[in-house]
Amino acid sequence: MERYRDVLGMHRDVINQLNVYPVPDGDTGTNMALTLETVVAEVTGAGEGMAEVCHAISHGSLMGARGNSGVILSQILRGLADTVAAAGHMDPHVLAGALKQASAAADEAVSTPVEGTILTVVRDVATAASEAIEVGVDGLVQMVEECQRAGRASLDRTPELLPQLARANVVDAGGAGFLLFLDALITAMDGRPLPDPPPVDPTAGVGAAVAGADYPHGADHPHHSDDEGDGTRYEVMFFLETDDDRIGDFRSAWEALGDSIVVVGGDGLWNCHIHSNDIGASIEAGIGVGRPFEIRVTDLFEQVEHIESMAEAEIGGTVTTVAGEPVRTAVVAVSVGTGVRRIFESLGVRAVIAGGQTMNPSTEHFVQAVEQLDASEIVLLPNNKNIVPVAERVDECTGATVRVVPTRGIAEGLAALMAYDPSADAEQNLSAMAEAAADVVTGEITQAVRETESEMGPIAAGQWLGLDRSGLRVVAPSAAQAATGLLDELIDDSHELVTVISGADATTAEVDEVAAWLAERHPAVEVEIHEGNQPLYPFYFGVE
């Protein structure tokens, strides 16, 4: 497991770069590598026996799985580990059975298996292992070498099975990531070096490496099979505590909501992954059968819209409306960052005005948004203290009934939306939403742009600041340190939920550091992580 983690880390960036689709979660290498980090941490703390090590692999892969590729990999590792644990030792016969079980477990995890992906490669490797047993393979090293040859041939065939791969002239990244497991296994047995990643043209962008180059790595499996479709927008992941006999109903509910569905686990704990356009319904399906926790939502379009959204954010006041069924009371929210905007829209917001810190929309922009909506009653969420006074002028400028929930940040806006009832009138919504917004504890992280003096002492340009409603609370040398320092100030024993909204400048490592800190310091607190893509503020926090 340590060698597999190491080789995935070496090849991570190359696999990430090899990406066919314009709107996928192009982080296959990262997701697989992070999954193995958790596995190795579990194994390091396990006992020396085969059963203890295999249990650690199984549990670590379930709890650490990231993204679609990471969840499928976790199921493969669990199939391998469970089979070896039952045997109590490893030999060619056990490995062949373990690979067969790993392939079956991976296929069962995916509601609609797609050929030409990691599923195909694992199945072909398992078949090669069984055939090697039939002809009398000579030991584990020869067995793994036969599996490597079959796996590379299978990976080279993936473009023949998946037209999207053929058009981009690449092979499947998930399958390539799995083959690195075989490299790690044979290195552990005879000490041969792990393979170095191949060179990739850094100017080529996604899809940089091609099938036929001396490297069996390519693109992750697709989100959908409709070549002309827009695809699903969000990746929703969470752990689900529920009785095993209720998972069938849960899968059925999810199949009506999206694609790339992977549900793995057992004994009351399941790791669940879906691509869907309806965040709320995806989470509610879990609530309907049990208790979802550690919820993560990713906007899959952010890679394509990052530059576009930044340009849009610079023009405060741009209005985006969302079509929908008529409602008694509609919501208009101020937001910056495509991810935040999409989350708001998924929660029922009918118009979003681009704006926030340094780009405050005018009263005219609010009036424009109100008049574009087919609703006689409107609730406004300004989501910035400087915008609240502007929003409060809108009622007198339009014929609609307009009420303002004085939200001072994005986290307050999200909390307010949890109490939104489209069938209630504006006054009723104002009361319920204002109460919900007031109950959430909020914070945000930003960077000092100049030297100054503060109540906490001198601040240098470039230092990171943690702020809450009362003002400055933390000064730190990095965004992640500021974030954990601020959360330490905000969270107490009464809190149950922390919402983290990561910004455009928050790195994966920083988000993971914050998540790890929360898991260590506040294991009983549920954590939801969303990609907001907002500029200037790498983190927004809401604590409830």
Side-chain angles (χ1 to χ4, degrees), residues 27 110 119 125 137 159 326 377 386 481 493:
D27 51 3
V110 180
L119 303 178
V125 167
V137 66
E377 299 189 63
N386 295 327
Q481 287 175 291
D493 293 340

Side-chain angles (χ1 to χ4, degrees), residues 349-389:
V349 171
R350 286 298 178 85
V352 177
I353 305 172
Q357 202 70 7
T358 77
M359 46 189 125
N360 297 341
S362 66
T363 302
E364 181 181 359
H365 293 129
F366 279 101
V367 173
Q368 177 188 350
V370 168
E371 292 181 347
Q372 288 182 16
L373 297 179
D374 185 19
S376 60
E377 299 189 63
I378 305 288
V379 168
L380 304 182
L381 299 177
N383 298 329
N384 184 286
K385 65 180 182 180
N386 295 327
I387 301 175
V388 172

Side-chain angles (χ1 to χ4, degrees), residues 83-97:
T83 303
V84 175
H89 67 282
M90 173 69 86
D91 62 23
H93 286 82
V94 172
L95 179 57

Side-chain angles (χ1 to χ4, degrees), residues 104-141:
D107 284 340
E108 291 171 1
V110 180
S111 60
T112 308
V114 177
E115 293 302 320
T117 67
I118 185 174
L119 303 178
T120 304
V121 177
V122 176
R123 189 184 311 121
D124 289 347
V125 167
T127 299
S130 297
E131 292 173 349
I133 293 294
E134 292 176 3
V135 300
V137 66
D138 184 18
L140 268 172
V141 171

Side-chain angles (χ1 to χ4, degrees), residues 23-78:
V23 292
D25 50 340
D27 51 3
T28 302
T30 296
N31 285 335
M32 297 179 93
L34 288 172
T35 300
L36 261 294
E37 289 286 356
T38 304
V39 172
V40 170
E42 288 272 345
V43 171
T44 301
E48 295 295 324
M50 180 70 81
E52 290 88 349
V53 171
C54 288
H55 174 75
I57 293 171
S58 182
H59 186 260
S61 61
L62 174 65
M63 300 303 293
R66 304 291 190 98
N68 194 40
S69 52
V71 173
I72 294 174
L73 176 61
S74 78
Q75 194 72 344
I76 292 168
L77 292 177
R78 295 178 75 228

